[in-house]
Amino acid sequence: MREIEASLITEEVSKLCIKANLYLADDIKSRIEKAEKEEKSNLGKQVIGQLIENMKIADEDKIPICQDTGMAVFFVEVGQEVHVNGNLTEAINEGVRKGYTEGYLRKSVVKDPIIRENTRDNTPAIIHYNIVPGDKLKIMIAPKGFGSENMSRLFMLKPADGVEGIKNAVLTAVKEAGPNACPPFVIGVGIGGDFEYSAILAKKALTRNLDQRSDKDHIRELEEELLQSINSLGLGPAGLGGITTALAVNIETYPTHIAGLPVAINMCCHVDRHASVEL
């Protein structure tokens, strides 16, 4: 049994909060730079150029890429041979508290969804745990702003709706999101499971490297077809027209019930933030 101190987890989570909000992953940067070269609309090209300049300023001045530094969402893989000296959930929340306070990141969480009093430290986080073999602890943060989160959708389709129903659901979500979700998008799609698990799949899909396509041939083909269809809508960067409405469509699937076909679409702007550490 390998032991990990809760204090170490807190420190690492604090660093992740700041890192994810200040720097985009290389795969996302390269997609944005590629989009600027390929965009045919002059206005769209100008908007993407501003996004690139914004990334550089955030990097050089050590300030958030976006003013909405999101609600802290975590995907945590806990090795079966790991023992945490302390409370793991409390250690993660303490790291969020420390990172968002010391990193001067905007605190956007309210204690009660109706009374809406701010917690003033961006806690509590949303944490998804998965028990895996081994003696490692992997922590991934995916801060999610609500401009795009608010435009996400979940469809409880019938099995008979099939692939065409899935395509229509994704395109419907994109059209309804329009400029409100700050295109160009990264779109996470969860297919299968049940009502809540399809949404978790969609959120997890956003953390996959954009250069890594699905290892299932039919899903990979669906990702590519949907990306092409979305970019032919003409919405473009910031909704001002162009061929760059989405940078990628990532799909994750899970077995489901014979009577259902849940499809969740988690919209994300180009600031598809995530960072991870393995302890």
Side-chain angles (χ1 to χ4, degrees):
M1 184 66 68
R2 178 165 170 263
E3 296 194 351
I4 300 177
E5 295 296 329
S7 58
L8 174 62
I9 295 168
T10 293
E11 286 302 316
E12 292 299 329
V13 167
S14 175
K15 293 175 186 175
L16 286 179
C17 292
I18 296 171
K19 178 181 179 181
N21 277 295
L22 269 57
Y23 313 105
L24 284 183
D26 289 340
D27 59 306
I28 301 171
K29 286 182 182 178
S30 63
R31 282 294 177 104
I32 295 171
E33 290 165 355
K34 183 172 181 282
E36 184 188 29
K37 295 175 183 175
E38 297 178 351
E39 177 56 61
K40 292 179 169 53
S41 162
N42 288 332
L43 186 53
K45 190 181 289 287
Q46 181 181 343
V47 170
I48 298 173
Q50 292 173 340
L51 299 181
I52 293 172
E53 182 182 4
N54 180 67
M55 285 191 299
K56 291 179 180 176
I57 292 172
D59 190 353
E60 292 169 0
D61 294 349
K62 304 296 182 289
I63 56 177
I65 305 163
C66 177
Q67 52 85 23
D68 184 353
T69 51
M71 192 165 190
V73 179
F74 290 88
F75 292 94
V76 182
E77 293 183 358
V78 185
Q80 291 175 324
E81 298 172 38
V82 170
H83 176 259
V84 176
N85 285 325
N87 185 298
L88 179 54
T89 298
E90 288 181 5
I92 292 173
N93 276 312
E94 183 59 31
V96 171
R97 185 175 295 111
K98 188 173 188 292
Y100 272 76
T101 301
E102 295 181 2
Y104 300 100
L105 305 175
R106 197 182 82 179
K107 290 81 173 173
S108 303
V109 176
V110 295
K111 291 179 182 178
D112 184 285
I114 296 175
I115 298 174
R116 308 196 71 79
E117 178 187 356
N118 199 297
T119 64
R120 301 178 187 237
D121 58 15
N122 224 55
T123 65
I126 293 174
I127 310 171
H128 303 288
Y129 290 110
N130 189 24
I131 306 299
V132 299
D135 64 352
K136 304 293 184 184
L137 176 66
K138 184 176 180 180
I139 303 172
M140 174 177 284
I141 184 174
K144 193 63 161 61
F146 267 55
S148 58
E149 188 77 352
N150 284 339
M151 304 310 298
S152 299
R153 293 288 305 277
L154 191 151
F155 297 82
M156 298 302 291
L157 303 181
K158 300 182 295 296
D161 292 324
V163 175
E164 290 306 312
I166 294 170
K167 293 176 188 176
N168 289 334
V170 175
L171 289 173
T172 296
V174 172
K175 290 173 185 176
E176 291 182 353
N180 295 323
C182 302
F185 308 125
V186 177
I187 301 170
V189 181
I191 304 173
D194 58 1
F195 177 82
E196 83 277 4
Y197 198 66
S198 61
I200 294 173
L201 288 172
K203 181 63 64 66
K204 184 70 181 291
L206 293 175
T207 68
R208 194 214 300 164
N209 187 300
L210 301 191
D211 297 325
Q212 180 186 345
R213 305 324 307 152
S214 174
D215 57 3
K216 300 175 182 176
D217 291 343
H218 66 294
I219 298 300
R220 183 168 59 252
E221 291 170 6
L222 183 56
E223 290 174 336
E224 293 167 356
E225 183 180 344
L226 280 169
L227 181 60
Q228 185 176 5
S229 297
I230 290 165
N231 283 334
S232 68
L233 294 174
L235 181 62
L240 298 174
I243 64 170
T244 315
T245 298
L247 300 173
V249 177
N250 284 359
I251 300 175
E252 296 293 333
T253 66
Y254 195 80
T256 191
H257 192 278
I258 57 172
L261 181 58
V263 179
I265 299 98
N266 198 200
M267 303 298 298
C268 189
C269 65
H270 80 283
V271 185
D272 183 12
R273 295 165 291 196
H274 51 273
S276 62
V277 65
E278 186 175 85
L279 303 176

